[in-house]
Amino acid sequence: MEDGDKLNTMDLIRRVVKEEDFFVFKLDIDNAPIEEPIVKALLEEEDGVEGGVSGLIDELMFEHHVAYDPMNEPWAHPKGVGDLHRSYNVFRDLRKKGIRAHSWP
């Protein structure tokens, strides 16, 4: 995600979403190399910064792709995508930032 790119997710949210909006962000591209940098950017964003994206998100729906035996058969996940422990930590950290983050399946 490069700053200034019209397809940069963080910039798009800043341009379109207003503080008074109830904004639900569904992140389900089914491509971990695209999704992970978006979540990483949300987690790395400083809290309370004016113009920040995390403060605009009321609910985040995110299908975090992880290696998990019951799901590996129907969906082949590339190696190195992480595991449930890491996923729980990602969602914990998003919630600590004040983002109501929800996972599935």
Side-chain angles (χ1 to χ4, degrees):
M1 287 190 317
E2 295 195 24
D3 289 337
D5 183 334
K6 69 178 182 178
L7 299 177
N8 179 310
T9 304
M10 302 290 276
D11 288 344
L12 178 66
I13 292 170
R14 278 188 206 95
R15 287 193 313 267
V16 174
V17 179
K18 299 174 187 71
E19 278 195 44
E20 61 270 15
D21 293 339
F22 186 85
F23 178 54
V24 178
F25 180 26
K26 181 181 179 190
L27 181 56
D28 184 12
I29 303 167
D30 286 332
N31 188 319
I34 294 174
E35 295 170 340
E36 291 281 336
I38 296 168
V39 171
K40 183 179 178 192
L42 286 171
L43 289 171
E44 291 177 348
E45 187 177 66
E46 277 189 59
D47 292 333
V49 173
E50 189 170 327
V53 171
S54 59
L56 296 172
I57 299 172
D58 294 291
E59 303 278 342
L60 171 66
M61 312 297 184
F62 173 42
E63 182 182 9
H64 194 198
H65 300 277
V66 297
Y68 178 57
D69 284 338
M71 301 305 291
N72 287 342
E73 187 64 32
W75 296 302
H77 292 293
K79 291 182 180 179
V81 295
D83 58 18
L84 281 178
H85 182 263
R86 179 177 171 273
S87 187
Y88 285 128
N89 288 339
V90 166
F91 281 91
R92 177 204 60 209
D93 294 345
L94 287 164
R95 291 175 185 143
K96 280 183 177 179
K97 288 189 70 69
I99 299 172
R100 292 176 52 156
H102 312 279
S103 176
W104 77 90

